[in-house]
Amino acid sequence: MMPLPLTIALAHLLARKRQTLVSVLGVAMGVGVFIAVGGLMQGFQGYFRSQIIETNPHILMTDEIRQPAPQPLQLLHPGAAVAITRILPRDPVRGISGAGAILTALDAMPGVAAAPTLRGQAILRRAGRDYAVTVLGIEVARELRVTNLTKDMVQGSLSALATQPNGLVLGLSLATKMGASLGDTVVAATSAGGEHGLRIVGLFNTGLEQQDQGIVYVPLAQQQSMQARPRVVNEIHIKLADIARSIPTAAAIEGSFGFKTAPWEETYARVLSVFRLQNLVTYGATGSILLVAGFGIFNIISTIVLEKARDIAIMRSIGLAGRDIVAVFLVEGLVVGVLGVLAGSGVGYGLASLMRQMPSPGATDPSQRLLVVQSVALYGLAAGLALATALGAAWIPSRRAAQTDPLDVIRGAT
Amino acid sequence: MSVALQAVDLTRVLPGPVPTTLVAGVDLGFAAGSFTAISGPSGSGKSSLLYLLGMLDRPTSGEVLLSGQPTASLDDEQRARLRLERFGFVFQFHFLLPEFSVLDNVLLPMRKLARRSPPAMRAHALALLDALDMGACAGKLPAALSGGQRQRAAIARALANDPAFILADEPTGALDTRNAAAVFAILSGLARQGRTVIAVTHDQGLAATADRRVRLVDGRVVADDAPVTESACVERMAP
């Protein structure tokens, strides 16, 4: 025998099949859209985030000093009340000093892999046209430990840079724009003067426009020569075994060596803040559908409370307490919510499956489909929001029902 | 015969710009197993007195003693529990839940009290309906019943938890003469089984069939043909 509030609630809802169905459909629509759009958003952001994390260092050390060095007066009187104002950190124009020692120290840290890089600007010339790019000079053996760019290589390889002193690895979309292909030679010019012939030994496609069009890789020695900065590195790329520790590890490294060391969350803070805003707008919009569905539930339960005033009165008179009446109408809201969640989960799954068949707009690979995440957490969030909305919508009329004075109704009927 | 229910100087005033006195200083005792008919003209406070006795309403002053125990300090939950366990109500209108069958309506108070197992509840409900000659209607919806059958179903529901008190408010008001007589006969029979039955009626003919007749006018008792004396009440309340 099912619980009494559920028995009464089902009887009320079944007596109003059409109204109940509309309310359930409202919740189902909200849940379905929430799951589909939320999954699409998570898929996009997850892909973007993984691309950032996989193709870029988890932690980036640059030749910038954020904190000024301790002044001699402070060193002379440690712990004393010494205040020195207007000190600016020295600008290390020569790159990261002592990079070799820093790399050795980083190699000794567990779960840390590091690679030196010299970043600089260059113009690539091809067929009479110029293309501004950022050139990263890398030590291939070390770089392979800190980047997953190899999985995005579509032609040639990154490791070819180890055997080709004038090798060049660039994005497929840039190469296409330049009309160049694997094995072709392009000319690179830098502000240091001179022109350098580079031979294309690899093409990659990360899907990130900024990366594919704007960044190219050459051997470190080649870059040092092009930039006229022999034996200089101005970045150290660091990869962690546990990415969740990027923030404390970056802080510890910066504390030890003084150079600005930014975790990927800081480097891509702007992108992440855009994601947060995007989530707010997306979940706000889809959540508002659930809110509207909540009005539907409020409407049906308010109607039942008004229509059933006499039944409520008799239930109170035969001994059901106020909380029993509240339970009846909360269960009604819950039943509509649960049915809506079940139907909405099916709708959401269907929509997500449909979207997964659709080509990803702007993708360089035509076979690439939209990424739509389907996770238990997303379904759980949609269900939780829907049920909370349903219960919230049922709460107000159920309280009013519980406060019904049975005598008002009985006196009016007799 | 012991006093089971007692009104002590019971007064109920409806507040408002012009306060209305529904019941004024009523002192009445009701012996266990008695059948009392309360009558009086419209607006004399018969139903209001019944609601006060049945814990559906709270007195403005005075007290209702249940088996000698005061009830004024009980909260709404406790009063609801008392109604469930010890009172059965029959109203002029049957007040059966329209979506439920007759059997499910009778089961409703039992399911709330949950003192019996589900099969025992069902068996008891069917036995009650059989006793009221309603066994054949157990599976029917209230809409499919005649007026007399609905009222008998309402009586079966009132008896579901074997209450000590049956309070009936104009139970025959919506019935024809034959059905009205049958309902009063059932109430009389319940009193003979040991329940305390108090029925409000304006039908003097039916009231004459009760063990005791109380007449109210303007909220006051103006006639009582078998009063239970206060001393007897106090004496009986003592244990």
Side-chain angles (χ1 to χ4, degrees):
Chain A
M1 199 174 272
M2 70 176 82
L4 186 58
L6 182 59
T7 307
I8 300 171
L10 288 180
H12 284 170
L13 294 174
L14 286 172
R16 282 155 203 79
K17 289 191 185 75
R18 191 179 300 170
Q19 271 181 289
T20 305
L21 185 65
V22 169
S23 297
V24 169
L25 286 178
V27 177
M29 184 69 76
V31 169
V33 171
F34 189 95
I35 288 170
V37 176
L40 182 66
M41 200 55 58
Q42 283 190 10
F44 163 71
Q45 291 180 2
Y47 171 75
F48 204 83
R49 188 178 278 117
S50 70
Q51 283 299 90
I52 287 173
I53 291 169
E54 286 182 5
T55 56
N56 291 283
H58 295 167
I59 295 173
L60 179 65
M61 180 188 282
T62 54
D63 58 346
E64 183 184 333
I65 295 175
R66 288 196 271 205
Q67 292 295 324
Q71 299 303 296
L73 191 60
Q74 292 167 316
L75 295 172
L76 193 62
H77 302 288
V82 176
I84 305 170
T85 59
R86 299 190 181 189
I87 310 169
L88 292 175
R90 184 177 294 171
D91 187 14
V93 290
R94 293 297 300 163
I96 297 173
S97 58
I102 291 173
L103 285 166
T104 306
L106 292 175
D107 285 343
M109 292 173 70
V112 173
T117 304
L118 177 62
R119 177 185 291 263
Q121 305 305 311
I123 301 289
L124 296 184
R125 287 192 179 130
R126 168 87 179 163
R129 288 193 176 179
D130 291 351
Y131 303 89
V133 293
T134 297
V135 182
L136 296 184
I138 57 172
E139 260 183 34
V140 176
R142 278 185 172 275
E143 189 67 18
L144 288 175
R145 292 165 55 201
V146 301
T147 181
N148 282 342
L149 192 64
T150 46
K151 79 168 180 53
D152 292 320
M153 297 302 296
V154 289
Q155 287 182 46
S157 67
L158 192 64
S159 55
L161 291 177
T163 54
Q164 291 278 340
N166 65 336
L168 171 70
V169 171
L170 73 165
L172 178 64
S173 55
L174 177 60
T176 306
K177 199 159 74 173
M178 293 168 71
S181 55
L182 197 69
D184 288 351
T185 301
V186 296
V187 173
T190 66
S191 58
E195 292 189 337
H196 305 262
L198 300 173
R199 186 162 175 267
I200 298 173
V201 296
L203 297 170
F204 59 82
N205 181 20
T206 65
L208 302 175
E209 197 67 8
Q210 194 181 354
Q211 182 107 0
D212 294 346
Q213 298 259 354
I215 293 177
V216 302
Y217 295 84
V218 298
L220 180 59
Q222 175 69 39
Q223 168 71 335
Q224 287 168 337
S225 166
M226 284 162 53
Q227 302 290 341
R229 301 179 74 179
R231 290 186 298 283
V232 171
V233 297
N234 57 7
E235 287 182 358
I236 292 178
H237 295 175
I238 298 166
K239 186 117 182 171
L240 302 176
D242 178 11
I243 193 171
R245 294 200 45 77
S246 59
I247 293 174
T249 307
I253 293 171
E254 182 164 344
S256 299
F257 304 110
F259 290 102
K260 178 184 175 183
T261 308
W264 71 273
E265 291 94 333
E266 181 184 334
T267 308
Y268 293 95
R270 188 179 290 181
V271 173
L272 295 179
S273 72
V274 169
F275 282 176
R276 277 192 289 274
L277 183 65
Q278 204 174 36
N279 287 339
L280 194 69
V281 172
T282 304
Y283 291 125
T286 50
S288 65
I289 301 175
L290 285 174
L291 192 67
V292 172
F295 284 123
I297 295 173
F298 175 82
N299 187 40
I300 183 176
I301 294 178
S302 294
T303 306
I304 293 173
V305 167
L306 284 174
E307 285 179 0
K308 291 291 168 189
R310 207 170 60 181
D311 292 0
I312 294 166
I314 193 63
M315 285 192 281
R316 293 296 307 275
S317 73
I318 64 176
L320 271 73
R323 61 166 191 262
D324 297 317
I325 305 298
V326 169
V328 166
F329 293 101
L330 283 185
V331 167
E332 285 179 21
L334 203 60
V335 167
V336 172
V338 168
L339 290 176
V341 164
L342 291 175
S345 297
V347 170
Y349 183 80
L351 283 175
S353 302
L354 204 63
M355 285 194 291
R356 278 175 163 168
Q357 307 301 318
M358 296 165 73
S360 183
T364 47
D365 179 2
S367 67
Q368 193 170 333
R369 298 288 180 241
L370 283 176
L371 282 171
V372 186
V373 169
Q374 293 286 279
S375 66
V376 174
L378 187 62
Y379 279 76
L381 183 63
L385 275 176
L387 295 180
T389 306
L391 284 176
W395 175 252
I396 300 167
S398 71
R399 288 295 303 159
R400 198 175 57 202
Q403 285 160 4
T404 301
D405 184 350
L407 282 185
D408 288 344
V409 181
I410 292 166
R411 279 197 182 108
T414 53
Chain B
M1 196 179 288
S2 62
V3 172
L5 190 62
Q6 187 179 8
V8 181
D9 195 19
L10 209 55
T11 297
R12 177 70 167 108
V13 179
L14 278 186
V18 183
T20 309
T21 302
L22 302 175
V23 176
V26 169
D27 284 298
L28 281 174
F30 300 90
S34 64
F35 180 15
T36 304
I38 300 175
S39 61
S42 278
S44 60
K46 313 182 289 291
S47 297
S48 299
L49 175 61
L50 199 74
Y51 302 150
L52 289 168
L53 292 170
M55 309 287 147
L56 275 170
D57 198 8
R58 287 179 183 275
T60 308
S61 65
E63 176 82 283
V64 173
L65 302 176
L66 187 62
S67 302
Q69 299 299 314
T71 58
S73 61
L74 300 178
D75 62 23
D76 286 347
E77 298 276 315
Q78 290 168 318
R79 293 163 71 86
R81 189 74 188 173
L82 270 183
R83 289 198 297 273
L84 184 68
E85 291 178 342
R86 303 190 65 179
F87 289 91
F89 291 92
V90 182
F91 299 98
Q92 179 179 353
F93 189 77
H94 57 82
F95 282 136
L96 296 169
L97 302 189
E99 294 93 351
F100 289 85
S101 68
V102 168
L103 177 64
D104 286 333
N105 266 286
V106 178
L107 282 170
L108 193 73
M110 283 191 259
R111 290 179 64 179
K112 171 58 188 163
L113 190 60
R115 210 176 254 168
R116 295 180 167 94
S117 67
M121 284 184 205
R122 189 179 168 79
H124 182 60
L126 287 171
L128 284 172
L129 289 170
D130 280 338
L132 292 166
D133 200 19
M134 287 287 292
C137 300
K140 290 183 179 174
L141 291 176
L145 303 180
S146 68
Q149 286 174 324
R150 287 175 192 167
Q151 201 60 306
R152 275 183 282 158
I155 292 173
R157 183 179 62 190
L159 294 171
N161 285 332
D162 298 322
F165 304 97
I166 299 294
L167 306 186
D169 185 12
E170 301 277 11
T172 59
L175 301 179
D176 57 38
T177 312
R178 189 172 61 83
N179 276 311
V183 166
F184 247 71
I186 291 167
L187 294 176
S188 181
L190 292 172
R192 282 196 298 276
Q193 290 168 16
R195 299 180 209 274
T196 304
V197 179
I198 306 169
V200 163
T201 181
H202 61 269
D203 187 325
Q204 292 302 317
L206 290 172
T209 64
D211 306 334
R212 176 190 178 193
R213 284 148 296 278
V214 173
R215 184 167 171 76
L216 256 61
V217 174
D218 293 337
R220 294 179 186 281
V221 176
V222 294
D224 184 351
D225 63 6
V228 177
T229 61
E230 195 175 329
S231 57
C233 292
V234 172
E235 185 182 307
R236 285 162 189 155
M237 277 161 44

